[in-house]
Amino acid sequence: MKTQTLQHFQTDGETWERRAKKGKLPAVIDPGDLKGRKNLYIDILQKLAVKKALGKDKAGIMIDFGCGSGRFSELLSTRAEFLLGLEITLPMLLMAKEECSGSNCAFALFDGLNLPIREGKADTIVSINVLQYITNESELAQVLSGVKNSLKPGGKFVCVEQVTGNKKRWQRDYLNYLRFFKQHDFGKIADYPIRKGHFLGLYPIYLGLVPQMFFSVIARMEMFLRKILWHSVWDYQDHLYVMKKLSDV
């Protein structure tokens, strides 16, 4: 019997194969950021947010779901006894293998729907800006079902997705993800915005007016502001979800 594969996993521009040629950060963040400053800032901010969400305890088995170019893999490998990176695009997977070559890391090409791990074995699954590109809600439901089945009871699912309340934009509303998670037996530990798409502080960074040494300081300031100001009505935002598997069925 032929295995079903993910069919509706699309970027808002070039194919993933073409994006993989642009390098580690532009491949998975903004391929149009030619100088790389914006991408570096976003990478720093997201890693700060995810590190806080993971906490200090090491996981046993962790999955980097949709690992892309592997920009998170090295960090995640320090937070787990064993890290499995899963990716649907071969050129991306090859980049990830180069980024994280530790003895506790392994990578696998998969079909996007069927996780190559026994049910109930993963302690934590991390996914960064992946679900937002699954444009078919039926396939998104299948993916979340696979994520849930792979986790141990009480296992943690940490993800960052672009969301918006503006119906003219392509991203989903942040509440849509919470509904999907609830439907698949996930309980909420936390959820909050971490980055605004058109944050004013990003423009001097993009133009090269801010030294790189200050990127993490500005990132922490932005994450603090997002928690206070919550969501913009018109702009998109990066939203962090920390969910817990509620059942083993």
Side-chain angles (χ1 to χ4, degrees), residues 157-175:
F157 180 44
V158 178
C159 69
V160 175
E161 303 298 336
Q162 288 184 10
V163 300
T164 186
N166 186 343
K167 294 183 179 180
K168 294 183 179 180
R169 299 193 65 91
W170 60 269
Q171 296 95 338
R172 296 179 176 92
D173 185 275
Y174 84 97
L175 291 173

Side-chain angles (χ1 to χ4, degrees), residues 170-188:
W170 60 269
Q171 296 95 338
R172 296 179 176 92
D173 185 275
Y174 84 97
L175 291 173
N176 285 357
Y177 287 107
L178 289 177
R179 294 188 193 101
F180 270 108
F181 295 142
K182 185 176 180 180
Q183 290 168 6
H184 290 84
D185 293 322
F186 284 102
K188 185 180 78 170

Side-chain angles (χ1 to χ4, degrees), residues 30-41:
D30 182 357
D33 181 22
L34 301 180
K35 298 294 184 180
R37 303 184 191 102
K38 171 187 173 183
N39 285 338
L40 179 59
Y41 171 77

Side-chain angles (χ1 to χ4, degrees), residues 25-199:
L25 296 186
V28 292
I29 304 179
D30 182 357
D33 181 22
L34 301 180
K35 298 294 184 180
R37 303 184 191 102
K38 171 187 173 183
N39 285 338
L40 179 59
Y41 171 77
I42 293 173
D43 185 60
I44 289 171
L45 183 149
Q46 290 183 339
K47 285 176 177 174
L48 287 171
V50 170
K51 280 195 288 187
K52 182 177 180 181
L54 290 174
K56 296 181 179 180
D57 294 336
K58 256 191 175 183
I61 297 175
M62 183 182 292
I63 296 176
D64 186 355
F65 182 84
C67 63
S69 60
R71 72 181 179 100
F72 262 83
S73 299
E74 184 175 359
L75 166 64
L76 297 181
S77 71
T78 67
R79 298 302 181 100
E81 298 298 329
F82 177 75
L83 176 72
L84 174 62
L86 301 179
E87 176 54 40
I88 196 172
T89 306
L90 180 58
M92 292 281 195
L93 186 73
L94 296 176
M95 291 175 65
K97 286 183 176 181
E98 292 183 2
E99 287 296 319
C100 184
S101 57
S103 59
N104 69 328
C105 299
F107 294 88
L109 191 69
F110 81 128
D111 58 23
L113 293 174
N114 302 286
L115 280 69
I117 183 171
R118 289 175 59 187
E119 290 190 9
K121 290 298 181 182
D123 296 283
T124 305
I125 297 179
V126 179
S127 183
I128 309 299
N129 298 127
V130 174
L131 303 184
Q132 66 195 39
Y133 291 118
I134 303 175
T135 58
N136 181 281
E137 295 204 345
S138 176
E139 289 190 334
L140 178 57
Q142 286 181 261
V143 167
L144 289 177
S145 179
V147 168
K148 184 201 76 171
N149 291 338
S150 299
L151 284 168
K152 294 178 178 178
K156 188 183 290 186
F157 180 44
V158 178
C159 69
V160 175
E161 303 298 336
Q162 288 184 10
V163 300
T164 186
N166 186 343
K167 294 183 179 180
K168 294 183 179 180
R169 299 193 65 91
W170 60 269
Q171 296 95 338
R172 296 179 176 92
D173 185 275
Y174 84 97
L175 291 173
N176 285 357
Y177 287 107
L178 289 177
R179 294 188 193 101
F180 270 108
F181 295 142
K182 185 176 180 180
Q183 290 168 6
H184 290 84
D185 293 322
F186 284 102
K188 185 180 78 170
I189 297 175
D191 82 284
Y192 46 87
I194 59 173
R195 186 183 76 85
K196 183 178 178 182
H198 296 87
F199 173 55

